[in-house]
Amino acid sequence: MFLKKKIISFIIIISIALAMSLSIFWYYQNSIVDSTIQVFKKTVEILAEGISASYFQWTEMYSAFLNNDDEFIQRMLNDIKLEFPEVENVIITIDKIEKDDLFEISSDETSIIIKFRICNTEGTKYVPNKLVSILIPAQKILDGLHVRNILISKTGFNFIYNLKYKFRFSIADLIIFVGLLSISLILAILYLFTTERKLRQAESTEKLALEAITELTQSLLKGILEPSYQLLLQKAVQIIPGAQAGSVLTKEGEEFVFSAVVGYDFEALANLRLKPHELAQGFEKDIKIIRNIRDFDKKNLTDDKINILRSAGRVNEIKSTLSLPIVVDDEIKAFLNLDNLSNPDAFSELSVQIGKVFANQLGVIFERIKLEKELREQKERLEYLSLHDALTGLPNRRFLEIEGERLIALANRENKNLCLMYLDLKKFKPVNDAYGHNVGDYVLKVLSERFKVVIRKSDFVARMGGDEFVFLLYDCKEHRHFIDRILEEIEKDIYYNYIKINISGNFGIVFYPQDASTFGELITKGDIAMYYAKSNNLKYYLASNLNINSKE
């Protein structure tokens, strides 16, 4: 009867632990899917905006479609595949977009389909009844985001854009699940192989451990990406039998530093840096119980470091240390050291087992932190690409519009002017025709680097597309001098292998608020003034001299 009760209690404990493990793991999966959907959607939108701005909001492409210049069109469509390797297919279709949008995103069973409208640079004219459709395998996008848990499938759960997915278990998922299940295993071992007194103590201790680990896991699932080392250490000292004090050593470069302490002088220890061979626990991935730590210090540390550890770290008082390595991607990232100041045998097998579960869970959390960091960096990179020209690295038209609106608002507040200079390169097309687009692209890159060097910190330069650039000068007082400097940089010889290239440029100049009341007017009038300068072989022409209204 007694044995039967023991077995029933054991089954109940295992069932509760398993249910909690499955519940937490389910929430974990859903959090990954939700965050991935947001990043996936933003990635597709940024990609669509970038391709549209680079290829289909371009007067030269618009004219090519109207004139059926198939050779130019096909070359540009091939360029898309080269610049965006994730694109699987690019086709021209007889179709239209219902809404007045530049592109439309949809999908088939496994791929993203983006339909683009072809318009001129100003966005005022569209090619009728013709679209360019781009096919991108959805799994390629996920792979590019380093998402390993989600597999796009024809059947499964709803994802986004009518796609479906199946959840694919990763090593990190397995570690989390095994870590949670290991708690139930510890409960079972303690229940079966300890006395009633030790069992009660173990049950109380493991309850605290389970609550602490569950709290950390729930914090992770809620998006708290960087738990405090101090909180982790305090929880460990609280729940692991025998722990009275402790420290966290984290790796910075090739050395370890104190990131948190309990029972010691953190201010004094924070400046101490220890190399791997100076660590009493060594640089190994095994959990260790260390005794006589002061004898190790005498043999391996300098007197200065020993004095700091004695006064601030109380090493002469430490009788036993339980050292728990935190391992991520098979590399030691930190050590959680728990100390007892009274008993050399304070840490039992129970302490080691709970410490192991705690260390494994911390490793999973650190792995999640790393994944979130990679996702953040990927998001930042995509946001950068959405605002910059892929070829030159200069701000693109979208960034120009944002900066232009900001500078207009600033000019209104400070009662200053804003000068927009619209540049079209002169003699650039013959370079492309004679030597090919590779040489033309090289020229654009060289000029872009020159522009970055010659403009002031307060100035702004963007590539509009093709061979057109726009400069914004805040509180401009001498535009002629600026044009002379820019033209001097443009007209310097450019060498591509043994090819000598020399080009020039024509500028259209327009001022806010004298010539225009909105940023859109600045762009339009700057373009018109540039075209006049180009048609009449002038270095530049002022929009104020044109026969157009300055205020519309």
Side-chain angles (χ1 to χ4, degrees), residues 73-100:
I73 293 171
Q74 192 57 48
R75 187 166 65 249
M76 291 298 99
L77 298 186
N78 290 335
D79 282 352
I80 293 176
K81 286 187 176 182
L82 294 175
E83 186 173 352
F84 301 92
E86 59 266 50
V87 173
E88 184 173 85
N89 197 11
V90 183
I91 59 174
I92 302 171
T93 58
I94 305 301
D95 202 352
K96 63 181 181 178
I97 297 176
E98 295 297 330
K99 297 180 179 179
D100 191 21

Side-chain angles (χ1 to χ4, degrees), residues 118-144:
I118 304 101
C119 64
N120 61 358
T121 303
E122 294 76 22
T124 57
K125 299 178 182 178
Y126 300 89
V127 175
N129 300 323
K130 272 191 180 181
L131 301 175
V132 175
S133 295
I134 288 178
L135 185 71
I136 306 173
Q139 194 64 49
K140 272 191 177 182
I141 298 175
L142 289 176
D143 292 342

Side-chain angles (χ1 to χ4, degrees), residues 415-428:
N415 198 26
K416 302 285 187 180
N417 72 352
L418 177 64
C419 177
L420 183 144
M421 297 186 177
Y422 204 119
L423 165 66
D424 182 87
L425 296 181
K426 184 178 180 181
K427 298 186 292 184
F428 178 76

Side-chain angles (χ1 to χ4, degrees), residues 6 190 194-205 350:
K6 293 277 188 181
L190 292 174
T194 61
T195 65
E196 285 297 324
R197 183 181 61 83
K198 290 185 177 180
L199 177 59
R200 287 193 296 269
Q201 179 186 0
E203 287 176 343
S204 176
T205 301
L350 175 61

Side-chain angles (χ1 to χ4, degrees), residues 31-57:
S31 70
I32 288 180
V33 173
D34 290 343
S35 61
T36 300
I37 286 175
Q38 296 302 318
V39 175
F40 183 94
K41 182 175 183 293
K42 186 66 176 178
T43 299
V44 173
E45 290 174 351
I46 290 174
L47 184 63
E49 290 171 357
I51 294 176
S52 177
S54 300
Y55 291 92
F56 303 120
Q57 300 174 43

